[in-house]
Amino acid sequence: MPRTGLSPALIARLSKRADQHKYDHGHALILSGGPGRGGAARLAARAALRVGAGLVTLGCPPEALAENAAQVTAIMLRPLDGSAGLEEALEDPRLNAICMGPGLGIATVSRNHVRVALASRRPVVLDADALTSFADDPRAFFALLHSNAVLTPHMGEFARVFPDLAKALQADPRESRLEVRRAAVTQAAARCGATVLLKGEVTLIADPSGHLAELHLTGKAAAPWLATAGSGDVLAGLVTGLLARGFSPFQAAETGAWLHGAAGRHLGAGLIAEDLPEALPAIFAQLGV
Ligand SMILES: NC(=O)C1=CN([C@@H]2O[C@H](COP(=O)(O)OP(=O)(O)OC[C@H]3O[C@@H](n4cnc5c(N)ncnc54)[C@H](OP(=O)(O)O)[C@@H]3O)[C@@H](O)[C@H]2O)[C@@H](O)CC1
Ligand SMILES: Nc1ncnc2c1ncn2[C@@H]1O[C@H](COP(=O)(O)OP(=O)(O)O)[C@@H](O)[C@H]1O
């Protein structure tokens, strides 16, 4: 990916043709945590819908259903009773991309959800608590991963899953830091067999076959107001929505990161995470989508 651009081929892929219906654009399933913890997943769900997934379902524990029902409209809701509930939901082959982690909670049930989602071999975005839940046994996590998975850690989460690579980064002097970050993300993707997107003002994306993309939100392209609660949850939803639309994991990661940065720049000072999905129509218009 050019440092600040999105390729014409990826822009073209964002369009919807007149002869297509909603199921042609995929159905994303976003998992939410329990009562009082649904905000992050709702942000991700809204982003997945805005980026063009044909349908988006928020799956939540039954006790969080009423709370989520009070907050969503175009997004559909489904109570999921533990991982057996998730397995049952995934019997529908039209659910073709999954997001788990934002607000999910760090618990056995989260680990089991991750196991079930990965065993289904569907494209899946693993963020936040889905990563942190495996901090005590990253190897067990890597054994479950496959090339349809995208990991979207911030540096803290990256350090929990790849502690040795993070240590090398922390030890490095400032001037060569970007080179070391590139090497760390490339090694991380090779080690875990999935696409890894390391977030920050410079976002780096690597896949297991050695492709590397980077997005520099610095200088004229800076978007420092993206450093706000829930901003990463929106990114996870964007990537999931693009996976539902049939983008490859690497394409979904780079396109999602680019759109996220563009929305951050477009909104500028004062933005909060809720604003980011709502900026997408303006960004699409600028791109000619
Ligand atoms: N509206 C909602 O519902 C929202 C819900 N959210 C949900 O909350 C849950 C917890 O997620 P979280 O990311 O806030 O906390 P956590 O996992 O403890 O990691 C934070 C620690 O990591 C470290 N750290 C190092 N580098 C870092 C970096 N670049 N960026 C950030 N952190 C960095 C740093 O530690 P330090 O290095 O300072 O010791 C820091 O203290 C999760 O489910 C998420 O989805 C949030 O998304 C907000 C909106
Ligand atoms: N200074 C910055 N400039 C540009 N983007 C940033 C900056 N700081 C954070 N971001 C972006 O904001 C998002 C923050 O995600 P994350 O740390 O997971 O927050 P949350 O868990 O609250 O959603 C990431 O996409 C990251 O790349």
Side-chain angles (χ1 to χ4, degrees), residues 154 199-201 203 217 223-224 226-233 235 260:
H154 59 51
K199 295 181 281 195
E201 69 177 310
T203 288
L217 298 182
L226 282 174
T228 180
S231 166
D233 304 320
L235 176 67
H260 187 254

Side-chain angles (χ1 to χ4, degrees), residues 48-106:
L49 197 59
R50 279 281 185 205
V51 85
L55 304 90
V56 177
T57 291
L58 192 63
C60 66
E63 58 274 21
L65 195 66
E67 172 188 318
N68 282 315
Q71 297 285 339
V72 298
T73 305
I75 293 161
M76 296 177 293
L77 270 177
R78 177 175 178 131
L80 294 179
D81 208 356
S83 296
L86 176 60
E87 269 176 320
E88 199 184 316
L90 293 178
E91 284 169 14
D92 181 350
R94 292 175 302 181
L95 284 172
N96 66 340
I98 307 169
C99 173
M100 48 180 64
L104 191 62
I106 300 155

Side-chain angles (χ1 to χ4, degrees), residues 6-7 9-10 13-14 96-97 122-125 146-152 194-197 205-209 211 213 236 238-257:
L6 192 63
S7 74
L10 288 176
R13 290 217 54 190
L14 287 166
N96 66 340
R122 284 171 170 83
V124 57
V125 172
H146 53 66
S147 60
N148 271 334
V150 181
L151 278 48
T152 54
T195 294
V196 177
L197 181 160
I205 303 162
D207 77 6
S209 53
H211 295 113
L238 292 174
V239 177
T240 308
L242 292 165
L243 289 172
R245 296 191 63 183
F247 283 58
S248 72
F250 191 75
Q251 288 174 335
E254 61 174 327
T255 306

Side-chain angles (χ1 to χ4, degrees), residues 148-163:
N148 271 334
V150 181
L151 278 48
T152 54
H154 59 51
M155 196 57 220
E157 289 151 354
F158 186 84
R160 289 169 209 157
V161 186
F162 303 102

Side-chain angles (χ1 to χ4, degrees), residues 117-201:
L118 287 168
S120 80
R121 310 302 286 184
R122 284 171 170 83
V124 57
V125 172
L126 298 167
D127 184 40
D129 298 344
L131 304 173
T132 304
S133 289
F134 286 92
D136 60 355
D137 196 359
R139 279 186 186 198
F141 180 48
F142 302 153
L144 303 169
L145 287 170
H146 53 66
S147 60
N148 271 334
V150 181
L151 278 48
T152 54
H154 59 51
M155 196 57 220
E157 289 151 354
F158 186 84
R160 289 169 209 157
V161 186
F162 303 102
D164 55 323
L165 301 178
K167 203 175 273 178
L169 266 175
Q170 280 146 13
D172 195 76
R174 187 78 198 162
E175 58 271 21
S176 57
R177 206 168 161 78
L178 184 55
E179 261 321 308
V180 182
R181 272 172 70 98
R182 286 186 184 116
V185 175
T186 303
Q187 281 180 62
R191 182 184 297 175
C192 76
T195 294
V196 177
L197 181 160
L198 177 59
K199 295 181 281 195
E201 69 177 310

